[in-house]
Amino acid sequence: MDSDEEATTKFNNTFVRPAKFYLSGFSNIPHVKYFYVFLCFVYIMTVLGNGFLLSVIWLVKTLHTPKYMIVFNMALTDLCGSTALIPKLLDTFLFDRRYIVYEACLSYMFFVLFFGGVQSWTLVTMAYDRLIAICFPLRYHSIVTKTAITSMLLFIWLLMLSLTTLVVGLINRLSFCDSVVVKSFFCDHGPIYRLACNDPSLNIIMANVGVSIGVFIPLIFIACTYVCISIALSKIASGEERLKALKTCTSHLILVAILFLPFVVAWASYIDPNARMINYTLTHTIPPLLNPIVYALKTEEVKNAIKKLCKRNNVSNTVTKC
């Protein structure tokens, strides 16, 4: 097989599949290596924070509740999503290994998009939990059950698995007979289908469907949830009770803002391509870092669970020494 055949694989003299793509990523950015070091720090802290939270929820039986099933799912998704993106990103740009094999590129795309979608819909599930807790407090334990939450989370994983498989799989219908330079920091769907020589209309439709299901529909659901919560809180006579109920939502609202606002701002306005890539990178990497701190590790239930674990370990160590 000659060099031309190694560079591309031709299908029926019509489709050209490149052996590799080239990730152009962050070009002409001064001192960009400091940003990569920062991402390395973010990843280490994300793994430690989410790993610790997963361990606490798993080991402390008092946290085996529907609410913390959602938190566990969020921590797991954050850990997997960051692992899918950051190590490969650092390998690509910090060590200048910008060529990526075609099949590996599609796998890279799949896992980043999949875990991003699951993360968005997990926030919807959290919003649902807060809605029932505030609007139907007496019926909360009969509505928000382990079975109900398990079903919701399973549906989310299956929905995003099906959607992401379809979106990524349709890349295989495209022919890449010209450039293989992907203008992104990872194998992003949009920059790749724009390189195609044949008609990418179906891919564009699926991209819009994917963004709608993965970003805008969850955001609409969360907004509607908080409209209902606001109406319910307005009927509470005591301002103190209203404030107390609102405080239970602040952590969730912070997570929603951290995840969705940078994406919406970048989508709705023009910014420099490099600034856009840095913005998207932070959108993918900062929420998984902050989620365990903002939503869980500062709550009394988790703090008490950590104290229980420490006491249990101290007792175990004392018994072992004796």
Side-chain angles (χ1 to χ4, degrees):
M1 186 178 288
D2 59 31
S3 59
D4 290 336
E5 288 175 323
E6 289 177 359
T8 60
T9 304
K10 298 186 178 182
F11 295 90
N12 299 325
N13 297 320
T14 302
F15 288 90
V16 181
R17 177 178 295 175
K20 296 178 181 180
F21 284 111
Y22 180 85
L23 301 177
S24 62
F26 309 98
S27 55
N28 301 319
I29 301 178
H31 311 298
V32 72
K33 286 194 174 181
Y34 292 111
F35 182 63
Y36 302 147
V37 172
F38 168 72
L39 289 181
C40 185
F41 170 78
V42 166
Y43 179 65
I44 292 170
M45 297 308 297
T46 299
V47 171
L48 292 176
N50 286 286
F52 179 70
L53 180 57
L54 288 170
S55 301
V56 170
I57 295 173
W58 182 268
L59 293 171
V60 180
K61 289 185 178 181
T62 55
L63 296 181
H64 293 182
T65 62
K67 175 184 174 181
Y68 282 97
M69 286 172 63
I70 303 172
V71 176
F72 188 92
N73 187 76
M74 174 62 84
L76 179 63
T77 304
D78 288 342
L79 185 59
C80 294
S82 293
T83 301
L85 176 66
I86 300 179
K88 182 59 182 173
L89 186 153
L90 294 175
D91 180 64
T92 300
F93 298 106
L94 192 57
F95 301 105
D96 200 25
R97 296 168 181 164
R98 298 187 178 222
Y99 281 99
I100 181 170
V101 175
Y102 178 86
E103 290 78 10
C105 189
L106 294 194
S107 298
Y108 193 9
M109 181 194 303
F110 174 87
F111 286 110
V112 173
L113 297 181
F114 171 70
F115 287 116
V118 174
Q119 188 180 44
S120 296
W121 280 97
T122 303
L123 286 176
V124 175
T125 313
M126 287 179 173
Y128 169 77
D129 174 78
R130 291 298 84 210
L131 173 70
I132 302 302
I134 292 171
C135 297
F136 308 99
L138 298 178
R139 297 176 57 197
Y140 175 80
H141 292 292
S142 62
I143 297 174
V144 184
T145 62
K146 288 184 179 181
T147 303
I149 295 302
T150 301
S151 300
M152 291 176 70
L153 295 176
L154 184 61
F155 174 76
I156 288 169
W157 281 71
L158 290 175
L159 171 67
M160 294 316 303
L161 180 64
S162 303
L163 178 64
T164 310
T165 300
L166 184 59
V167 168
V168 175
L170 286 173
I171 293 292
N172 284 316
R173 63 178 290 275
L174 299 177
S175 178
F176 301 92
C177 52
D178 191 8
S179 175
V180 293
V181 178
V182 180
K183 295 180 180 178
S184 183
F185 59 93
F186 78 106
C187 290
D188 201 355
H189 183 254
I192 286 181
Y193 77 66
R194 292 189 189 99
L195 298 175
C197 300
N198 57 337
D199 182 16
S201 299
L202 185 57
N203 299 82
I204 294 171
I205 292 170
M206 286 310 302
N208 291 329
V209 170
V211 170
S212 298
I213 293 177
V215 178
F216 293 112
I217 292 177
L219 200 52
I220 291 169
F221 275 155
I222 292 169
C224 291
T225 297
Y226 277 100
V227 168
C228 296
I229 288 173
S230 300
I231 294 170
L233 290 178
S234 67
K235 296 177 182 178
I236 297 175
S238 169
E240 187 177 336
E241 289 179 350
R242 197 177 302 155
L243 185 62
K244 186 178 179 181
L246 192 60
K247 279 183 178 179
T248 65
C249 300
T250 53
S251 296
H252 180 258
L253 286 170
I254 291 170
L255 297 190
V256 171
I258 291 169
L259 182 65
F260 289 111
L261 273 182
F263 180 88
V264 173
V265 169
W267 180 82
S269 59
Y270 174 80
I271 58 176
D272 179 78
N274 280 329
R276 182 182 293 271
M277 273 190 277
I278 289 175
N279 176 66
Y280 278 146
T281 307
L282 295 177
T283 302
H284 279 284
T285 57
I286 297 301
L289 169 68
L290 297 180
N291 284 351
I293 301 169
V294 171
Y295 197 85
L297 295 180
K298 72 171 193 173
T299 61
E300 286 300 318
E301 290 170 302
V302 176
K303 285 180 181 177
N304 291 333
I306 293 170
K307 288 176 183 176
K308 281 183 182 179
L309 277 180
C310 292
K311 287 180 180 177
R312 190 189 303 172
N313 288 335
N314 286 337
V315 171
S316 298
N317 289 336
T318 302
V319 170
T320 302
K321 287 177 182 179
C322 292

